[in-house]
Amino acid sequence: MPVLKTTVLKVLRDERGMALPIALMVLAVLGSLTAALAMLGTTEPLSSTNLKRADQALTLAEAGVERSIWTLSPAPTGPVTYGVATPLAGPQGAPWDGSSLFSLTASNDPVAVGGYTVQLMPGARPNEVQVASTGWIPNNANPSATRAVRVTLMSLNHRFRPPGALNVDGETLVSGNAAIAAYGNICNGSGPASGSYSSNATEVDGAAQICAGVDCSSNQTDCQSPSCLESQPNAPTTFNDLTLTRDELNMLKDMAKQAGTYWGPPNYNGPSTGGTWNGAVNFGTSVPLPNGIVFVDTISGNPPTASNVADMADVRIAGSGGTYSGWMIVMGSIDLSGDATYNGLVYAADDLTAGNGTAVVNGAVIAHNENGANDTQIDTTTNGTISINYDCNNINNAGGRIPQGFMVKPGTWREVSS
């Protein structure tokens, strides 16, 4: 028994011949890894190529958006477009209906390497254009990659179509020696412009005049068509069109901040900082009225509401002499006095009043009377010797102070599945 036990133990401890199966196992594992690496080596370049083509297609789609902005913008020498009406009256035909491919070639290869198609459609507002741009590699007939971008473009100089020189969402009193006149057609639209346009009654007292067309020789005791329009059935719709949206307010606010012409919270009082913002600005000798887009915000920086009158801005434009061009956007009331000439748009979220002086506005005035739109009180008074003259060119660009091209509307850029 001891001999048998010893023999069995020797057999169990004998490892001769184990190297071969181990080597075969290692060889099998290495073979599997080699096959996997070989497969990865064949698929990785394909994946990289696909990702590269997709990025190229996205770049081409973005190029289509840039082409649309260029096409919709006026020529440097004047309001001449590059083949597309602005603003759009309806969906455009070829090549702006998405059916035509704009091909691009490499500098060292005449064969097209890709292209994009663009569809232009009217936006929700008169100054907006919807763009659907799709990038194709190498083309839209036999694409290997495609990406699509959807965006809304907006234009400031096509923004307003005020029907009159003085536009008041409420009742209007024009008195003293005020002179309000409109000659020509409505900006960016059709039909004759009016001296004044109000959602409620317009009253003319004293030696004041409201004129339109060619008849501006006689004083009027009451404002009657065609000299002015009053209590129009479509007035609420019109004043909705004359109301800046939150997106537009934010864009104008940012542009004013960049130019140093923003007055608002928290402690910013235009180019001269200091103190706590209280919503009041007196433009005159000490605080000159700047050119360009001037934005005076509420105390809180939020859009004004009738329920929070104390939050609204209070602006007084006084001083003597001087000519200024731009848009004056005030989130509250404006007292227009002094003897300055303002070429552009004066926009008040609340009331507009005009007292002493001989101020002149060549453009248009819009007052929304946020505080008293539903009251029977006279919300807007134009006294003294102020003159308001309807001028489309100043409304649209204020002597070149307002950007003329289209810009991307904030929050509308998105990439979509094509």
Side-chain angles (χ1 to χ4, degrees):
M1 290 295 294
V3 175
L4 179 59
K5 183 176 181 180
T6 302
T7 303
V8 170
L9 291 174
K10 287 182 178 180
V11 172
L12 292 176
R13 292 171 181 172
D14 191 355
E15 297 181 355
R16 287 177 297 177
M18 292 296 292
L20 179 61
I22 293 175
L24 291 175
M25 292 175 61
V26 171
L27 184 61
V29 172
L30 291 176
S32 300
L33 291 175
T34 302
L37 290 174
M39 182 176 296
L40 182 62
T42 58
T43 58
E44 182 64 23
L46 180 61
S47 299
S48 299
T49 300
N50 289 337
L51 289 174
K52 179 181 178 180
R53 289 175 177 173
D55 289 341
Q56 290 174 333
L58 179 59
T59 301
L60 288 169
E62 293 171 348
V65 175
E66 295 297 328
R67 178 69 174 265
S68 302
I69 294 174
W70 175 82
T71 301
L72 291 164
S73 299
T77 56
V80 179
T81 62
Y82 296 103
V84 175
T86 53
L88 300 181
Q92 301 297 289
W96 307 107
D97 60 355
S99 63
S100 302
L101 181 71
F102 293 90
S103 297
L104 299 180
T105 58
S107 58
N108 58 349
D109 188 353
V111 179
V113 296
Y116 52 83
T117 55
V118 179
Q119 185 178 12
L120 299 181
M121 299 163 289
R125 301 182 71 86
N127 67 319
E128 295 180 355
V129 176
Q130 296 181 14
V131 179
S133 178
T134 305
W136 307 88
I137 300 290
N139 54 57
N140 56 341
N142 187 25
S144 60
T146 175
R147 300 285 284 275
V149 169
R150 302 292 183 266
V151 67
T152 298
L153 305 179
M154 61 185 296
S155 170
L156 290 178
N157 70 312
H158 286 93
R159 174 59 182 91
F160 287 110
R161 299 178 178 180
L166 174 63
N167 306 271
V168 180
D169 191 1
E171 297 183 352
T172 308
L173 170 64
V174 181
S175 59
N177 295 309
I180 301 174
Y183 305 99
N185 291 331
I186 296 174
C187 300
N188 306 320
S190 60
S194 303
S196 77
Y197 185 92
S198 59
S199 60
N200 290 315
T202 298
E203 181 180 352
V204 182
D205 291 339
Q209 292 182 342
I210 298 180
C211 313
V214 296
D215 182 15
C216 209
S217 59
S218 60
N219 296 343
Q220 302 173 50
T221 56
D222 292 301
C223 182
Q224 302 294 335
S225 179
S227 297
C228 64
L229 301 178
E230 55 180 326
S231 304
Q232 296 301 301
N234 63 339
T237 301
T238 299
F239 280 99
N240 286 338
D241 292 338
L242 297 180
T243 303
L244 290 167
T245 66
R246 183 182 291 269
D247 289 334
E248 291 166 338
L249 288 173
N250 289 336
M251 178 176 287
L252 290 166
K253 186 184 300 187
D254 289 340
M255 295 174 69
K257 286 180 178 180
Q258 294 174 10
T261 54
Y262 172 76
W263 277 259
N267 300 309
Y268 193 74
N269 295 350
S272 301
T273 59
T276 301
W277 172 241
N278 60 8
V281 182
N282 294 323
F283 290 109
T285 304
S286 59
V287 183
L289 179 63
N291 293 308
I293 296 175
V294 177
F295 196 106
V296 182
D297 214 342
T298 58
I299 298 176
S300 66
N302 298 320
T305 61
S307 60
N308 192 6
V309 178
D311 189 45
M312 294 185 187
D314 184 13
V315 172
R316 177 180 175 84
I317 304 176
S320 59
T323 300
Y324 308 91
S325 299
W327 283 8
M328 167 66 67
I329 309 295
V330 176
M331 297 293 94
S333 60
I334 301 176
D335 181 358
L336 186 59
S337 302
D339 304 318
T341 297
Y342 195 82
N343 297 322
L345 177 75
V346 178
Y347 180 100
D350 198 22
D351 293 345
L352 170 77
T353 59
N356 299 323
T358 58
V360 177
V361 176
N362 296 317
V365 172
I366 299 174
H368 284 285
N369 293 326
E370 183 70 38
N371 180 27
N374 297 321
D375 295 340
T376 56
Q377 68 186 43
I378 297 176
D379 296 300
T380 298
T381 61
T382 304
N383 300 312
T385 58
I386 184 175
S387 298
I388 303 176
N389 306 301
Y390 197 79
D391 190 313
C392 284
N393 186 60
N394 284 335
I395 295 171
N396 285 335
N397 58 46
R401 303 283 182 176
I402 305 302
Q404 298 299 289
F406 276 76
M407 299 167 284
V408 174
K409 183 177 180 180
T412 64
W413 185 287
R414 68 187 188 280
E415 184 183 344
V416 298
S417 300
S418 55

